[in-house]
Amino acid sequence: MILTLQTPRPLSRLPRFLPFSTNASITLNQSQPATCTSPPPPHSQILSTRHSLLSRQFSAADLLRSHLNRLNLTEPHLRSFLHLPDPSDLLAQADSLDRRIAAGEDVGPLAGVLVAVKDNICTADMPSTGGSRILEGYRPPFDATAVKRAKELGAIVVGKTNLDEFGMGSTTEGSAFQVTANPWDLSRVPGGSSGGSAAAVSARQCVVSLGSDTGGSVRQPASFCGVVGLKPTYGRVSRFGLMAYASSLDTIGCFGSSVADAGILLHAISGHDRFDATSSNQIPKFISQDVPNFLSHFVSASSFESKPLKGLRVGLIRETIGDGVDAGVISAIHSAASHFEELGCSVNEVSLPSFSLGLPAYYILASSESSSNLSRYDGIRYGNQVYADELDSLYGSSRANGFGSEVKMRILMGTYALSAGYYDAYYKRAQQVRTIIRNSFTEALNQNDILISPAAPSPAYKIGEKKNDPLAMYAGDIMTVNVNLAGLPALVLPCGFVEGGTAGLPIGLQMIGAAFGEEELLRVGHIFEQTLENCRFVPPIIAEDIAS
C-alpha cells in the first residue's frame, strides 16, 4: 500500500546546497521530511541554475563546488560514477562561463548545468568503457552528438556513470567494475542498465544525466530511484557515439529530478544528425518532425485551471496490473489513475493482448543484434588485445577475457537465433511479433491520448537477489520492452511509495505516447507532477541536506 512515511535518517551530514527553485509559486517546504508529507518538488533545477547565474546570485564556480562537495561525500557509498575528471578542469570551465556572463555574452540554456553521461556514450575528454573490461582505458577521439549538443549549449560534463556491461542488465551488477547502490536504500539496486545515471540524479550529484534505453534501461532505474526518466521516440535523438547494443531498439534518454529538467535536456539534444541515418528526417515517415518547443508547457502550478487535463483520454493497460505485479505497485498506479481523473481526464482500462509476447520477442531481437554489433570487439579492430601466437587464439582470448558472463550469454543466444535452420523459427517470428505489437499500440493510441502502466513490476530489490536467476531479472522488463519494439516515446515519473528501506521505496508511473508525441507527454507529466499533493521524492542519503 501507499504509505505516509517517517522522517528518513540521512547517511551523513552534507553541506547545505544552493536553492533549487526561483519560482515563488513553487517552493520547497524545508521543515518537512523527504517523504509523502510535503509540497510538490521544485519546478526546474536547470531554470533555477540559469536564473542564479544571470542574476549574479551565484557564480558557476559556486554551483559547481556545491555539487562536487555532495558528490565527494556520497560517491563512496553510491558508486554512481566510473570516471570523474580532475576538479580543476571542471572549475576552469565554470570560471570561463563566469567570465562570459560578466562580459555580457550570451550563454546557452544549459549554461553551468552539470550533466552526467552514461559510460556507453562517447566523450572525447574522458574514458568511455561501456562498463566492459574489453574497452578499459579507451578514450574516443570524438563526442557523441548528444554530448556535443549539450556542451555547445553550456553544459558541463561532470563524469561518466556506471552501467551493466554494454547496457545488458537491469541492476548494474553486470558492470565489469562496480555495483551502484540505490540512494533510497544502499542495500538495493538502482536499476539498470542506466543505474549510475539514475542514482546520480536522485542523489543530486548532478543536475541531469544521459542514459540509454534499449528495453527499459532509462525507465526502470528512474522508477527504482524516484526520478524522472524520458525515453524519446526512436529517431528523435541521434545515436551517433552511442555504443551499439541493439541498433533498431537503442535510444539515448534523459534523467532529471523534474519533468521540466528532462524535457529541457531532451530539447537540447534532439534533432537530425547527418552522422546517424536513423535520425528523424532521414526516413520518409519522420519527415517534418521538427523539434517542438517543450519549454512552453513548464508553467507554474498556480496558473493551472481547476481541471487542467480536461478531456484527455488515458488508457490503463490491463495486462500490466495483474499477476506478477506487486500489490503496492498496483495500488500506486490505481492512485495515479485516480489523480488523473481529478485533473479532468477520462481513465479506462485497455487490453493489449500481444503485450506478453513482447518479452520473448525483445530478447531474441536484442540478442541477435548484439551478436552482430559486438563482433567488432575482437582485439584487432576494437578492444584490448590478449597476446597469442595464432589469430584464432588472439580473437578467442581477447573476447573471453574482455566480455563478462551476461554479454557472452547474449552473444551466444543471438548467434544461435540467427544461425542456419533457426532464423525463421526465432528471428523472423520475433520480427512478426514486433509488427503485431506496433499495430496494437497504434490501435490503442487511436482511442486514447496516452497509455499508462507501472514502469516495473516491483520496487527496487536487494543487491544480489536476482543475480543468479536471469529469467526472473528478464521478467522485470515486461513493462518496458514493448515500447522499444514499437519505437514509441515514454515518460516515467515517481507517483508514490511502498514499504522498504528507511524511508520507503519510490514507484514510477510510465506514460506512453504516440510517435513523436514527447511534447504531449511532457505537458501531461508536468501537470501530474506539480499537482501530486503531499509527495517529495528526495532520498534519505541527502534528505537532511535538502531540508536544512
Side-chain angles (χ1 to χ4, degrees), residues 271-319:
H272 170 62
D273 177 22
R274 66 187 181 90
F275 294 115
D276 178 9
T278 63
S279 62
S280 59
N281 66 1
Q282 287 290 82
I283 302 174
K285 68 178 180 179
F286 293 158
I287 288 178
S288 300
Q289 296 294 346
D290 295 330
V291 179
N293 182 15
F294 302 132
L295 280 67
S296 62
H297 299 298
F298 304 139
V299 297
S300 166
S302 62
S303 65
F304 294 157
E305 300 173 356
S306 60
K307 299 285 186 179
L309 295 179
K310 184 177 181 180
L312 188 80
R313 300 169 301 169
V314 177
L316 173 57
I317 302 174
R318 182 178 302 144
E319 288 77 10

Side-chain angles (χ1 to χ4, degrees), residues 51-72:
H51 180 273
S52 297
L53 293 178
L54 297 184
S55 66
R56 314 294 174 87
Q57 183 181 4
F58 299 104
S59 67
D62 289 336
L63 294 169
L64 174 63
R65 291 189 185 96
S66 179
H67 270 98
L68 290 180
N69 284 339
R70 176 179 291 127
L71 194 156
N72 289 335

Side-chain angles (χ1 to χ4, degrees), residues 236-290:
R236 170 70 81 187
V237 178
S238 170
R239 292 184 297 111
F240 179 73
L242 172 65
M243 296 177 187
Y245 164 18
S247 300
S248 73
L249 302 166
D250 294 340
T251 56
I252 291 179
C254 308
F255 291 99
S257 57
S258 68
V259 173
D261 283 342
I264 292 169
L265 181 59
L266 175 65
H267 186 267
I269 65 175
S270 294
H272 170 62
D273 177 22
R274 66 187 181 90
F275 294 115
D276 178 9
T278 63
S279 62
S280 59
N281 66 1
Q282 287 290 82
I283 302 174
K285 68 178 180 179
F286 293 158
I287 288 178
S288 300
Q289 296 294 346
D290 295 330

Side-chain angles (χ1 to χ4, degrees), residues 28 116 119 201 248 279 361 425 434 477 505 541:
L28 207 58
D119 202 37
V201 170
S248 73
S279 62
R434 184 177 192 172
D477 295 334
L505 299 172
I541 194 172

Side-chain angles (χ1 to χ4, degrees), residues 217-505:
S217 290
V218 164
R219 290 161 288 151
Q220 183 248 30
S223 177
F224 281 11
C225 292
V227 298
V228 175
L230 176 57
K231 176 226 172 280
T233 306
Y234 185 83
R236 170 70 81 187
V237 178
S238 170
R239 292 184 297 111
F240 179 73
L242 172 65
M243 296 177 187
Y245 164 18
S247 300
S248 73
L249 302 166
D250 294 340
T251 56
I252 291 179
C254 308
F255 291 99
S257 57
S258 68
V259 173
D261 283 342
I264 292 169
L265 181 59
L266 175 65
H267 186 267
I269 65 175
S270 294
H272 170 62
D273 177 22
R274 66 187 181 90
F275 294 115
D276 178 9
T278 63
S279 62
S280 59
N281 66 1
Q282 287 290 82
I283 302 174
K285 68 178 180 179
F286 293 158
I287 288 178
S288 300
Q289 296 294 346
D290 295 330
V291 179
N293 182 15
F294 302 132
L295 280 67
S296 62
H297 299 298
F298 304 139
V299 297
S300 166
S302 62
S303 65
F304 294 157
E305 300 173 356
S306 60
K307 299 285 186 179
L309 295 179
K310 184 177 181 180
L312 188 80
R313 300 169 301 169
V314 177
L316 173 57
I317 302 174
R318 182 178 302 144
E319 288 77 10
T320 66
I321 52 172
D323 294 341
V325 183
D326 284 13
V329 173
I330 295 175
S331 178
I333 299 305
H334 280 150
S335 295
S338 296
H339 185 56
F340 273 119
E341 291 178 330
E342 293 169 359
L343 295 173
C345 302
S346 62
V347 180
N348 299 290
E349 282 194 9
V350 297
S351 179
L352 298 179
S354 62
F355 199 85
S356 63
L357 302 177
L359 199 63
Y362 166 81
Y363 274 102
I364 289 172
L365 295 175
S367 297
S368 297
E369 292 187 34
S370 71
S371 72
S372 174
N373 281 326
L374 269 63
S375 65
R376 70 193 70 179
Y377 303 109
D378 55 14
I380 299 292
R381 292 171 292 175
Y382 292 96
N384 295 321
Q385 185 181 106
V386 173
Y387 176 79
D389 292 329
E390 297 182 356
L391 187 60
D392 286 347
S393 297
L394 185 152
Y395 286 152
S397 298
S398 297
R399 290 169 67 83
N401 290 333
F403 288 141
S405 58
E406 181 67 26
V407 173
K408 292 175 183 175
M409 181 170 64
R410 297 199 192 194
I411 290 174
L412 288 171
M413 288 169 54
T415 302
Y416 179 83
L418 293 173
S419 60
Y422 297 98
Y423 177 91
D424 287 348
Y426 294 104
Y427 185 81
K428 183 179 179 180
R429 182 168 294 182
Q431 289 286 25
Q432 292 170 336
V433 169
R434 184 177 192 172
T435 300
I436 294 172
I437 290 170
R438 185 184 293 116
N439 291 340
S440 68
F441 270 107
T442 299
E443 182 178 350
L445 287 166
N446 284 336
Q447 300 172 7
N448 298 274
D449 297 303
I450 64 169
L451 304 176
I452 62 173
S453 75
S458 72
Y461 41 85
K462 295 284 187 178
I463 293 174
E465 183 177 329
K466 298 185 179 181
K467 186 175 182 179
N468 296 320
D469 188 357
L471 292 180
M473 192 176 296
Y474 296 166
D477 295 334
I478 184 66
M479 304 296 179
T480 54
V481 295
N482 287 275
V483 177
N484 295 81
L485 290 170
L488 300 176
L491 176 70
V492 167
L493 66 163
C495 65
F497 291 95
V498 296
E499 289 183 343
T502 60
L505 299 172

Side-chain angles (χ1 to χ4, degrees), residues 15-32:
R16 180 170 180 170
F17 188 59
L18 300 169
F20 283 104
S21 178
T22 58
N23 189 322
S25 64
I26 304 175
T27 58
L28 207 58
N29 186 335
Q30 296 180 339
S31 65
Q32 298 296 324

